[in-house]
Amino acid sequence: MRTSNESELLEMYRQMVLIRVAEEALLRLFEGAEMPGFIHSYIGEEATGVGVCHALQKQDVITSTHRGHGHVIAKGCDLNAFFAELYGRAAGYCKGKGGSMHVADLDLGIYGANGIVGGGVPIAAGAALASSIRKDDRVSVAFMGDGASDIGPFHESLNLAAIWNLPVVFVVENNGFADFIRQSDHQKIDKISIRATAYGIEGVTVDGNDVEAVHEATREAVARARRGEGPTLLECVTYRWRGHFEGDPQPYRTQDEVEDWKKRDPIKATEARLAELGLADDAAMKAIVAEMTDKVEAAIEFARAAPKVNPEDALEDVYTDLKVEGWT
Ligand SMILES: Cc1ncc(C[n+]2csc(CCOP(=O)(O)OP(=O)(O)O)c2C)c(N)n1
């Protein structure tokens, strides 16, 4: 399945490199105790977030997860506000009060990363319901892990989205594990996409490390949604290189297994593809890595220099000022 055009492939490569460089920088900052909070690394899964988001328009909606850095960067988030949020700075996306699992940008259709596993799934279905009522031509995408596809709200959301033909794509990033549990120990099925059958919708499984395959499958699902033909369950099979969180001792897998998957690095595969198509040589790819590294370093410098959250503002923005008629 090779239909991404040449400039698209190069752009997707740039985004994947940006995510990898940002994630590697975060690991260093976290290990050096400069980065507060909690980190769930997206390294190894870049082709999924990029392939999906590249098939969307700016106004389209995504909901993300606890492992969401790649999703929000691929949807085009402001890198300064992203790093400032993770640093706990007032210039961050949630004024520094949320951190890694709470990046949102409503103008870019990023309806939030989410620490509640599967929490974004009904939010995306709800956004799709709003779009179908408003007829605004937007499509919503719910990112989730294999573990999230076991929870009740996943099944309720698929059922309602199916019966109401909502413009939504449910993207399962099957990275092999939920927390510390291998997929085969929490599900009796191999392909998660077969769950679509229970709801009468399309279900597709693709190689989540092949950015072109992810992009093409998403384009088809998005086109189906915009035509009013309802939701798709898209499973992208990938692998998380790091532990569930930074500090996870990972007794549930061997280093050999991790090394085997690293041979299927989505970024290296894209580099091979770019070279094969004559779209970029080694020097051009190195220049892209250098450019993305500079971008990330500039954003980190911005975040370091930004003012910290003022503890006195802790309770601001907790409740909305929205007045509802008839309510006191
Ligand atoms: C509703 C809920 N249950 C449990 C947890 C604890 N928890 C955090 S991450 C996680 C595993 C999620 O696995 P998966 O959906 O496959 O995503 P992955 O971490 O593999 O990206 C769990 C159980 C939670 N945050 N929310």
Side-chain angles (χ1 to χ4, degrees):
M1 218 189 293
R2 301 286 180 185
T3 56
S4 307
N5 73 34
E6 299 181 349
S7 63
E8 280 181 322
L9 186 58
L10 208 52
E11 184 50 32
M12 289 194 286
Y13 173 67
R14 291 166 63 83
Q15 289 184 350
M16 288 163 73
V17 170
L18 180 61
I19 294 168
R20 176 72 57 91
V21 171
E23 288 291 70
E24 286 175 347
L26 281 173
L27 296 185
R28 281 195 302 277
L29 295 168
F30 189 76
E31 275 160 20
E34 188 178 327
M35 175 63 57
F38 220 66
I39 302 281
H40 300 89
S41 170
Y42 195 65
I43 294 180
E45 305 183 33
E46 296 89 346
T48 299
V50 169
V52 168
C53 289
H54 203 72
L56 301 177
Q57 304 291 324
K58 184 180 170 199
Q59 77 275 8
D60 292 330
V61 168
I62 63 165
T63 60
S64 178
T65 70
H66 55 287
R67 200 177 301 287
H69 305 159
H71 308 149
V72 297
I73 293 175
K75 192 70 172 49
C77 79
D78 178 274
L79 221 49
N80 285 355
F82 171 80
F83 272 99
E85 184 57 40
L86 271 67
Y87 262 89
R89 307 295 162 135
Y93 263 118
C94 293
K95 300 188 183 169
K97 297 179 195 175
S100 164
M101 287 184 268
H102 298 281
V103 174
D105 185 335
L106 302 189
D107 292 336
L108 290 174
I110 301 170
Y111 282 18
N114 206 316
I116 299 169
V117 168
V121 184
I123 295 174
L129 174 60
S131 297
S132 78
I133 292 169
R134 293 187 187 127
K135 300 197 189 337
D136 62 12
D137 206 33
R138 284 185 325 176
V139 170
S140 298
V141 166
F143 282 106
M144 75 199 88
D146 45 290
S149 73
D150 291 341
I151 72 159
F154 166 85
H155 297 276
E156 294 174 39
S157 299
L158 264 71
N159 189 50
L160 287 175
I163 197 71
W164 291 335
N165 263 338
L166 300 184
V168 55
V169 185
F170 299 102
V171 176
V172 177
E173 295 180 292
N174 183 356
N175 64 12
F177 302 92
D179 262 342
F180 322 113
I181 307 168
R182 198 173 280 281
Q183 189 205 347
S184 53
D185 291 329
H186 74 83
Q187 294 180 336
K188 212 167 177 176
I189 50 171
D190 179 24
K191 280 191 176 177
I192 296 173
S193 62
I194 66 166
R195 289 190 168 170
T197 312
Y199 303 103
I201 62 173
E202 285 292 322
V204 185
T205 295
V206 293
D207 178 354
N209 282 5
D210 179 339
V211 74
E212 290 175 282
V214 174
H215 180 224
E216 182 54 24
T218 311
R219 277 210 314 201
E220 283 175 19
V222 166
R224 182 177 303 122
R226 284 205 217 282
R227 284 197 304 269
E229 292 170 17
T232 302
L233 175 59
L234 171 61
E235 176 189 18
C236 302
V237 179
T238 180
Y239 194 80
R240 91 168 133 67
W241 288 15
R242 306 287 303 178
H244 170 59
F245 55 82
E246 287 311 297
D248 171 8
Q250 307 174 59
Y252 48 85
R253 66 181 180 182
T254 63
Q255 195 52 37
D256 283 350
E257 179 182 310
V258 179
E259 295 307 319
D260 270 353
W261 272 91
K262 285 187 178 176
K263 291 181 194 141
R264 296 170 55 186
D265 180 351
I267 293 183
K268 289 264 172 300
T270 309
E271 286 175 347
R273 181 86 177 126
L274 287 169
E276 175 195 328
L277 293 171
L279 292 175
D281 59 13
D282 261 10
M285 290 188 264
K286 281 202 177 94
I288 289 173
V289 174
E291 184 194 336
M292 297 304 148
T293 306
D294 286 350
K295 266 191 182 201
V296 166
E297 276 170 14
I300 291 171
E301 280 318 309
F302 170 86
R304 277 185 180 135
K308 287 191 176 150
V309 171
N310 183 353
E312 283 161 24
D313 298 337
L315 294 182
E316 253 181 44
D317 304 313
V318 175
Y319 298 102
T320 179
D321 291 331
L322 187 78
K323 303 255 186 310
V324 180
E325 226 171 288
W327 288 26
T328 50

